Amino acid sequence: MNTLVCITPGTFEYQLAEKPVLSPGHAIIKIKRIGICGTDLHAFEGTQPFFSYPRVLGHELSGELIEFDGAEGFEKGEAVTFIPYFNCGICIACRSGKPNCCTDIKVCGVHVDGGMAEYLSVPSHLLIHGEGLSFDELALVEPLAIGAHGVKRADVRKDEFVLVIGAGPIGLGTMEFARIAGAKVIALDINDARLKFCKEKLNVPHVVNALAPDVLEQLKEITDGDMPTVVIDATGSLKAINNAFQYMAHGARFVLIGLQKENISFSHPEFHKREATLMSSRNATRQDFEHVIRSMKAGLVEPATYITHRVLFEEVKDEFKGWLDPKNGVIKAVVSL
């Protein structure tokens, strides 16, 4: 089968590999769609934590189930996606119902080879029914689940102000699920085109450019002087994360979905006087995937809104670098096989 391998940062190479053979407790998916996410872009740049080369990227995937063992209730030929976080099942996190942060987690396309290939073998217990959704829609379930999990971690409540920093695909999904939870959403980004997308395509009521000299004043005005009670970072930018501590209301929760390599720095007195809560949000759970699929089927989320670029598998090597350039306006690129 054909695969696309990231050999080193900045270098892709098409290679032939053996088609996977069915093994106990696993399923083989014929890949139909691959969503390109920030993890893939950062791996190509060489800035992704927990990463080694060479690696077959790709974990936002959908396809046709062609063989399986131990997947009761599934049928051959069914359209599926899957949870791309291969967990051990026995560590403290797994035993506590948090397989998304398993101590020995293997994320597909990060720690182990992913889905930029014609076929992929995955553990059967991680399969997700397609529920009548298209391959395009199913490939977007995972990135939307990341945002849904962050919103769940924040315990977002009806009518509270939620500030989402970063209007990339993960941030946009976070905004959607904050809205679904009943929040009043504020989008913060440095890219006016993306803020316009938030306003016009996702109906986000409040947008603020992070480069404006009066960000604090704008947030105070929007929130009637209270400041946001939930702040969620979806940038993975150290500067954005450190700046965001000042945007928190007293009693607020700050959730880090974005990931970067350095130490976070903030004023302890300022954080302490707010009795604030800081937490991370890693990956997503089956419950989050199911929440996303229900929301899609109910028309609460329109996945097609996110897809701005489409290419065939054989075109990825030549097109990929261009997706890093903000001038190209990429929200979500989707690869078809």
Side-chain angles (χ1 to χ4, degrees):
M1 66 174 182
N2 288 315
T3 65
L4 180 60
V5 184
C6 188
I7 303 296
T8 59
T11 305
F12 272 127
E13 185 178 297
Y14 287 101
Q15 296 182 355
L16 289 176
E18 292 295 325
K19 178 183 172 182
V21 176
L22 185 65
S23 58
H26 282 70
I28 296 176
I29 299 172
K30 183 177 182 181
I31 302 298
K32 293 291 188 178
R33 298 289 187 278
I34 307 163
I36 305 301
C37 83
T39 298
D40 303 319
L41 297 170
H42 297 155
F44 184 76
E45 285 181 311
T47 59
Q48 176 65 28
F50 314 130
F51 203 85
S52 61
Y53 303 85
R55 180 67 66 220
V56 178
L57 307 180
H59 64 271
E60 298 179 1
L61 304 165
S62 65
E64 178 186 347
L65 184 61
I66 61 169
E67 292 184 85
F68 57 86
D69 174 73
E72 187 176 347
F74 286 84
E75 298 180 0
K76 284 188 178 181
E78 182 178 349
V80 296
T81 186
F82 68 98
I83 302 168
Y85 326 123
F86 303 164
N87 65 298
C88 73
I90 59 174
C91 73
I92 180 62
C94 291
R95 299 198 313 272
S96 301
K98 295 177 71 68
N100 54 300
C101 60
C102 167
T103 62
D104 192 34
I105 201 164
K106 301 290 189 296
V107 177
C108 182
V110 177
H111 307 101
V112 295
D113 284 342
M116 286 194 182
E118 292 182 273
Y119 299 89
L120 185 66
S121 174
V122 305
S124 294
H125 74 277
L126 297 177
L127 289 172
I128 301 281
H129 287 287
E131 301 285 353
L133 297 177
S134 69
F135 289 125
D136 280 354
E137 291 169 326
L138 289 172
L140 290 178
V141 170
E142 192 273 344
L144 289 170
I146 297 290
H149 187 70
V151 168
K152 182 172 69 177
R153 288 281 286 153
D155 189 24
V156 170
R157 299 156 199 163
K158 190 176 187 302
D159 290 330
E160 68 178 331
F161 283 100
V162 174
L163 173 64
V164 179
I165 305 170
I170 299 300
L172 296 174
T174 303
M175 295 174 204
E176 293 259 64
F177 283 93
R179 171 184 54 78
I180 290 168
K184 293 176 281 192
V185 179
I186 309 167
L188 182 72
D189 199 280
I190 62 173
N191 186 319
D192 281 329
R194 290 210 166 181
L195 291 174
K196 183 180 179 183
F197 184 94
C198 293
K199 197 88 171 173
E200 296 181 353
K201 301 295 185 181
L202 302 187
N203 297 313
V204 173
H206 308 285
V207 298
V208 178
N209 191 307
L211 298 179
D214 61 343
V215 172
L216 278 172
E217 287 73 18
Q218 289 189 58
L219 292 176
K220 285 178 181 176
E221 182 177 353
I222 291 166
T223 62
D224 295 323
D226 289 336
M227 299 300 284
T229 49
V230 173
V231 176
I232 303 178
D233 178 79
T235 66
S237 160
L238 181 61
K239 182 178 180 180
I241 292 169
N242 286 342
N243 280 343
F245 284 92
Q246 66 184 314
Y247 304 148
M248 302 171 69
H250 281 238
R253 293 95 73 200
F254 187 7
V255 180
L256 303 179
I257 296 179
L259 177 65
Q260 52 80 44
K261 292 182 175 182
E262 304 302 326
N263 294 328
I264 296 169
S265 177
F266 58 92
S267 165
H268 187 181
E270 288 296 320
F271 185 77
H272 195 93
K273 76 180 185 183
R274 285 170 169 78
E275 197 178 51
T277 301
L278 174 64
M279 65 187 87
S280 60
S281 178
R282 190 177 187 195
N283 300 324
T285 65
R286 178 173 290 275
Q287 291 74 27
D288 300 314
F289 277 68
E290 292 170 349
H291 179 33
V292 169
I293 288 173
R294 286 194 303 270
S295 298
M296 285 183 176
K297 293 183 71 175
L300 298 174
V301 178
E302 179 46 67
T305 303
Y306 295 83
I307 301 174
T308 54
H309 292 65
R310 294 178 180 274
V311 299
L312 298 175
F313 183 60
E314 54 268 26
E315 299 171 328
V316 176
K317 180 180 177 180
D318 293 332
E319 296 290 332
F320 197 94
K321 187 175 181 179
W323 297 334
L324 293 162
D325 188 343
K327 294 177 183 176
N328 291 324
V330 178
I331 299 293
K332 177 63 63 179
V334 172
V335 180
S336 298
L337 282 81

